[in-house]
Amino acid sequence: MENEIKQIISDVSKVAITNVHEDAELGNDLAIDSLDLLDVVTELEKNIKLIFLQKT
């Protein structure tokens, strides 16, 4: 599952998969902005069936 998550992050953000690792920060290290983050979350929910709860 880890490789699938890395692949989704890489595909959506156009970041090389070699730069996507467990210590990488999405905003600082991978330069993923808020719109890209929404796309990543959507793809994770759709392809891996992860569910992100919305904080109210």
Side-chain angles (χ1 to χ4, degrees):
M1 183 186 312
E2 180 180 344
N3 289 334
E4 291 174 279
I5 293 171
K6 287 180 179 181
Q7 188 64 55
I8 289 171
I9 292 170
S10 175
D11 290 347
V12 170
S13 65
K14 309 295 188 254
V15 172
I17 196 164
T18 56
N19 293 331
V20 180
H21 53 84
E22 64 185 43
D23 295 324
E25 293 184 16
L26 297 177
N28 293 329
D29 299 328
L30 304 179
I32 294 177
D33 64 19
S34 58
L35 293 176
D36 285 339
L37 181 58
L38 286 174
D39 289 341
V40 168
V41 168
T42 300
E43 289 300 311
L44 290 172
E45 288 179 332
K46 183 170 61 176
N47 294 311
I48 303 181
K49 308 299 185 223
L50 292 178
I51 298 172
F52 294 87
L53 299 177
Q54 196 173 39
K55 186 177 180 180
T56 57

